[in-house]
Amino acid sequence: DDPDFVFHQWQTHLRIDSLAIGVLVSYFYRYRPALIAALSRRHLVLIAGAAALLIVPCTLSDIERSIPIATVGYAALYVGFAGVLVLFLQWPALAPPESFLGRIGAGLGYVGRHSYSIYLWHLPVRLVMRVLVERYAPRVPNPAAFCVYVIVSIVVGVVLAKLIEWPALALRDRLFPSRTASAAPPVADLSPASTSGP
């Protein structure tokens, strides 16, 4: 591995902005739901287009050797995915559950419920896949390898969430019941009825 890539990939002070923008989106979702709903509804196409322009080029690059990725690429990725997150937060208001988009949203929600496990296991999956691709399929195009990596990461994350994470959380809840669950604030309602004016 390129030591510069490793440095930029893992140093907290060089990646803290990506965490900060997630916190910012979460803040507006929790405390300014009408604002984020109105923004996403009025500029839906613009947000989707900008997110695609920021994310797609990064998937076509060799992330470990690309100077643009090591400089502006990470910033492009987290801003693009923040736009994707804003759109997904608005998804229930745009797509009834029985519609095609509603079913896609349900599938994305299923992935989201396992997202922490996917996050934990995606790096081991990447390391194993890298060895396999270099040894058995060195001519596979980068975008194709990336798509396979994403799918395998999701499958592994879902399986291990069911085998490890959720049983461990259930055991924790039995041994140490939460005393604050009833005091948690309600999730913001972004449905059209809740965000429309009088």
Side-chain angles (χ1 to χ4, degrees):
D1 283 342
D2 183 347
D4 290 334
F5 164 77
V6 174
F7 182 79
H8 286 88
Q9 178 76 11
W10 298 112
Q11 297 297 309
T12 301
H13 69 285
L14 296 177
R15 303 299 305 282
I16 197 68
D17 46 358
S18 62
L19 299 175
I21 199 167
V23 172
L24 183 65
V25 173
S26 177
Y27 169 83
F28 280 101
Y29 174 67
R30 177 66 63 176
Y31 298 108
R32 299 288 188 273
L35 177 62
I36 199 170
L39 175 68
S40 58
R41 192 174 295 119
R42 291 173 187 168
H43 305 288
L44 181 69
V45 175
L46 178 61
I47 294 173
L53 287 174
L54 290 169
I55 294 170
V56 171
C58 295
T59 67
L60 304 177
S61 303
D62 185 345
I63 195 170
E64 296 188 17
R65 298 175 178 85
S66 171
I67 293 177
I69 291 292
T71 53
V72 300
Y74 286 132
L77 279 174
Y78 71 69
V79 173
F81 278 112
V84 172
L85 179 58
V86 168
L87 295 177
F88 283 169
L89 291 175
Q90 186 62 15
W91 199 292
L94 300 173
E98 67 278 1
S99 68
F100 175 72
L101 288 179
R103 292 188 178 95
I104 292 178
L108 293 172
Y110 180 83
V111 173
R113 287 192 294 275
H114 302 82
S115 60
Y116 185 64
S117 180
I118 295 168
Y119 161 73
L120 290 178
W121 291 101
H122 84 279
L123 186 56
V125 169
R126 174 182 170 272
L127 296 175
V128 171
M129 280 197 58
R130 179 174 157 184
V131 172
L132 293 176
V133 168
E134 289 179 352
R135 182 174 299 176
Y136 299 109
R139 297 184 180 180
V140 171
N142 209 35
F146 177 79
C147 290
V148 174
Y149 154 69
V150 170
I151 293 170
V152 173
S153 296
I154 292 172
V155 171
V156 170
V158 169
V159 170
L160 292 178
K162 294 180 183 301
L163 292 178
I164 300 174
E165 180 186 1
W166 291 5
L169 291 176
L171 177 62
R172 178 205 63 186
D173 291 341
R174 284 197 299 270
L175 296 177
F176 308 101
S178 173
R179 298 179 180 179
T180 60
S182 60
V187 175
D189 182 4
L190 295 185
S191 62
S194 69
T195 57
S196 59

